[in-house]
Amino acid sequence: MSARRPFIRAGEETRRAALIEATLDLIAEGGPQAATVRAIALRAGVTPGLIRHYFATKEELIAAAHETLMTGLTDASAAALDSLPDDPLGRLAGFVTNAVSPPVTDPRSVALWAASMQLVPRDPVMRAVHEATYLGFRDRLEAMIADALRAADRPATEARALAIAGNALLDGLWIEAGALPDHFADGELKSIAIKAFSHLLELKLPEV
Amino acid sequence: MSARRPFIRAGEETRRAALIEATLDLIAEGGPQAATVRAIALRAGVTPGLIRHYFATKEELIAAAHETLMTGLTDASAAALDSLPDDPLGRLAGFVTNAVSPPVTDPRSVALWAASMQLVPRDPVMRAVHEATYLGFRDRLEAMIADALRAADRPATEARALAIAGNALLDGLWIEAGALPDHFADGELKSIAIKAFSHLLELKLPEV
DNA sequence: CGCTAAATTATACACTTGCATAATTACTCG
DNA sequence: CGAGTAATTATGCAAGTGTATAATTTAGCG
């Protein structure tokens, strides 16, 4: 008779992390409808029943996956900041360049972002998370813009409006890079972003 | 015995439009997973079987709905163009303003766009529709930018790059307006967009 | 080395999904 | 006014869904 599948006891943290990672992978590859209980379990190297042992319901697992995704994204964008040059113009240029280059422009990230974006209008929790991460990114950009303006002896009164516009510009480029990767030559988006920011701020940003 | 449900023959165009509208409503309200064959039929006032009579597969209906949505969006921003002044600067300013004002910035539209965006990376049909509508909008913008530059006796060589950046800017503002409607004062986005375009093109666009 | 508790697998069930096909009805045209 | 045709409804089905529950295995502990 067929032997029962052997297994090892991995413990709560390991298994929860594996299940969440499998969920995110599946959503990125095939959308939310691809993240079925069975597919998640298969990818996590586990049987479907175990999911219920760690998450009372599938919805709970999805929520946990979203939280992991969002905190991961903000952490990644915060980590890249430290390796930027010290002068305000260089820092801003590096920040802008990073935002439209790999690994930030990664199909997986864009797909996951689109999936969560879809929940924002009707899920208050998702809305709060989105708001926090959006404002976090924009505030950082605003600070850099203000620094760059002051370094050129210019008033920073318009920094907020410029940050909103600049953030929108980066978002739009990032999305299109993820949606239609073949439409732009290598480095084209980077160059466009730097030139656009130079025009926006009336400052000459260096191309990295 | 229960009588068979009475009906009227509505014809192809009417029924296709009703089915597409029902599909978009459902996706906007509850995401793609809410747009089941039965729910769509119910909302369209029809039995599920009829869907198959007009669309070979559900995927085909979804694609048609996406196309309707996207052409509707681009048409909406182009609609008011006829009533705008003839001068290139005024036309461009009107175009930009429309793109970040109601009814274009409508939570429903943004939710629908996010839903379809999620399918673009892996569905070739969706991808083609997205590509076509994206390029359609961008090309219109590029033509207006070129006109505005030439009217100021400036070369239009950078029109493509400027159109890519301008399109990204409008997309980003549009998304945030739909996702976080309470975050921006009335007319704030409009003003930001006009100022940003003025800086981008080094031209003074009139606020409408 | 055996016992026990928790981790994991296995099985089953009720429900929903998209789709196929047959039966009926409403409208058009002679 | 009567027949034919296409639009529409009705029914059924096989596959997939989330979840509940029972059976079994692993690993730590005395």
Side-chain angles (χ1 to χ4, degrees), chain A residues 22-86:
Chain A
T23 303
L24 290 178
D25 280 350
L26 286 167
I27 293 180
E29 289 172 14
Q33 74 276 137
T36 70
V37 172
R38 285 162 182 83
I40 293 170
L42 179 66
R43 168 143 334 193
V46 146
T47 15
L50 191 62
I51 292 181
R52 175 129 157 86
H53 190 253
Y54 287 114
F55 300 93
T57 177
K58 186 196 170 186
E59 197 174 278
E60 200 174 284
L61 167 57
I62 298 286
H66 271 305
E67 185 171 0
T68 298
L69 164 71
M70 288 311 209
T71 60
L73 283 181
T74 59
D75 287 356
S77 108
L81 267 180
D82 300 334
S83 53
L84 289 179
D86 263 355

Side-chain angles (χ1 to χ4, degrees), chain B residues 4 6-9 35-38 52 56-58:
Chain B
R4 199 183 174 93
F7 63 92
I8 58 178
R9 296 165 99 105
T36 69
V37 172
R38 285 164 180 81
R52 172 128 157 85
T57 177
K58 186 196 171 187

